[in-house]
Amino acid sequence: MWQRCRYGCAWRACSHARWCLVLTLLLPGCQPGAPEDPLQAYVETLSATLSVASEATPAPSTIPPPTSGGLPSHPASIPLEGIGLLALTGCAVQATIGKYDSSLGRSAKASQRLILALEYLRLAPACIRQLQKYGNAALARRLQTGWHKQRAHLPELIFNATLGSEEYRAFWLASPAPGDFPRSGHEATANALRSIDRDVRRWLGGDYRAQNRSFELLLSEIAGGDGGALWQALSRHSQWLHDADTILEQYRHSQGRCMDYQRFAAITRLSIRFNGEIQSRYTQSISRYREYLAAISALEHQLSDALTPHYLQWLAARNQHLNEIDNAADQHSAQLEHLRLACAP
């Protein structure tokens, strides 16, 4: 006799209730209260197939993202106090210095302080040459000293505006607060990360051109990204794969003989399912995660001397997490195939 569920799947009446349960679990959507994640459903099916209880492991704890800031912004890195702006008439940098001296300039967020610094680095040399030409050597020296100090602090200013910013921290949050930043698609986020890495490479190489609006839009795209959600999902998947490995290990140690044909057939179907749909989805998630990390790691390399101790601790934890998830699916697939071949009837 055939029975059908609401999704149209079917199976024959079984002679043993246990195998009815296994077949039911093998058919997604045919049982009430089925797990939404295919990998979690797979682990439950594996547990039922081998009659090995799956331990209810706690959800993986998430590592808090790095705090924003952490480095001084060096507000006085350009020694311009007491300079009359009229003395800089004819210099494009005059407006930049005016912004520094304003209340908005003194309280500007890190990204705006970086834009001001880049503007100064780009415009000051022409003014210095003009002052030297007209015999104002003292003021020229002050602007030159400020230029060198600002250039020396540029990596720290960039860190504060990027890796140490609220936007990058929001990117790593597992569940960003609703409404803080508009959500971004994967491609938009990945492109924004790569764009900022390219911009930083230019800035550190002496090309100080920067567009304020474009930079803020890139930061907003990054803030709306799903780096933290991916981290959490991959951690959860890695934990389920660990649970699956534990089930296989317990079965090998507890069984005096290998499996009968029915159980072997069920394991074979599970192996096909895992190596197909499930492993493909897991690999795709890791690929997305790695695409993000490629751009972020490149930026971290450029700013290696400016990374704070707290950020370095977080970075080590992130790298450890990547090592844990990277080969988890391949390792489980190998263990599953080893059991299946070793116990072929």
Side-chain angles (χ1 to χ4, degrees):
M1 182 179 76
W2 291 86
Q3 297 178 343
R4 293 185 178 274
C5 70
R6 60 191 178 98
Y7 291 102
C9 50
W11 65 90
R12 284 192 186 281
C14 303
S15 56
H16 299 290
R18 180 184 67 196
W19 294 113
C20 282
L21 171 62
V22 170
L23 288 174
T24 300
L25 288 168
L26 282 170
L27 296 171
C30 288
Q31 68 277 17
E36 293 183 4
D37 194 291
L39 184 53
Q40 183 182 12
Y42 164 81
V43 175
E44 294 184 6
T45 305
L46 182 66
S47 173
T49 302
L50 297 178
S51 299
V52 176
S54 175
E55 297 182 4
T57 54
S61 58
T62 57
I63 302 173
T67 56
S68 59
L71 284 173
S73 297
H74 301 285
S77 58
I78 303 179
L80 303 176
E81 296 83 355
I83 292 180
L85 291 180
L86 290 178
L88 300 176
T89 299
C91 289
V93 78
Q94 181 187 49
T96 305
I97 295 174
K99 295 174 190 175
Y100 267 106
D101 286 339
S102 71
S103 59
L104 288 177
R106 287 190 291 269
S107 61
K109 68 174 189 173
S111 59
Q112 292 304 298
R113 296 199 65 79
L114 172 61
I115 293 296
L116 276 177
L118 292 168
E119 192 174 291
Y120 181 84
L121 288 170
R122 181 169 57 87
L123 298 177
C127 189
I128 292 169
R129 290 192 296 270
Q130 178 176 314
L131 291 170
Q132 290 172 336
K133 178 180 178 180
Y134 291 103
N136 197 340
L139 183 54
R141 282 195 298 272
R142 293 186 67 182
L143 293 182
Q144 186 72 52
T145 299
W147 190 95
H148 285 297
K149 288 188 175 182
Q150 197 75 331
R151 181 66 182 83
H153 292 310
L154 185 58
E156 299 165 25
L157 291 166
I158 292 173
F159 172 84
N160 283 352
T162 57
L163 298 174
S165 69
E166 285 292 344
E167 289 86 354
Y168 272 72
R169 186 175 191 275
F171 169 80
W172 285 114
L173 289 174
S175 301
D180 279 3
F181 296 99
R183 303 308 293 164
S184 304
H186 170 74
E187 285 302 318
T189 303
N191 288 335
L193 288 167
R194 287 189 288 264
S195 294
I196 285 186
D197 177 58
R198 289 193 295 268
D199 285 342
V200 171
R201 194 172 303 279
R202 283 194 303 101
W203 298 336
L204 294 178
D207 181 350
Y208 304 122
R209 292 172 298 164
Q211 294 185 348
N212 188 2
R213 175 176 166 76
S214 296
F215 184 54
E216 293 293 346
L217 287 175
L218 290 174
L219 289 175
S220 180
E221 292 281 9
I222 290 169
D226 62 344
L230 262 180
W231 179 326
Q232 187 180 59
L234 286 169
S235 297
R236 186 167 59 248
H237 291 168
S238 178
Q239 185 63 59
W240 283 332
L241 287 170
H242 173 75
D243 294 346
D245 289 342
T246 301
I247 290 170
L248 296 179
E249 183 179 357
Q250 289 179 354
Y251 180 80
R252 285 195 300 268
H253 290 165
S254 63
Q255 299 298 313
R257 61 182 177 82
C258 281
M259 59 191 73
D260 55 30
Y261 179 79
Q262 287 178 311
R263 180 170 277 161
F264 175 78
I267 284 294
T268 299
R269 286 191 291 270
L270 268 178
S271 178
I272 293 172
R273 181 180 165 197
F274 179 81
N275 290 315
E277 170 202 0
I278 295 175
Q279 191 168 17
S280 174
R281 291 180 61 167
Y282 185 77
T283 302
Q284 288 173 7
S285 294
I286 291 181
S287 177
R288 289 176 59 197
Y289 187 62
R290 280 191 166 279
E291 187 176 3
Y292 288 152
L293 287 184
I296 292 174
S297 297
L299 182 56
E300 289 166 343
H301 180 73
Q302 292 194 76
L303 302 176
S304 56
D305 292 337
L307 302 182
T308 64
H310 182 271
Y311 190 94
L312 290 171
Q313 292 174 1
W314 177 84
L315 175 59
R318 193 191 74 200
N319 289 340
Q320 177 63 32
H321 172 260
L322 182 61
N323 291 335
E324 291 171 356
I325 67 173
D326 217 11
N327 300 313
D330 288 339
Q331 291 172 356
H332 177 70
S333 180
Q335 289 195 42
L336 184 63
E337 187 65 5
H338 176 73
L339 175 67
R340 196 181 71 85
L341 295 178
C343 288

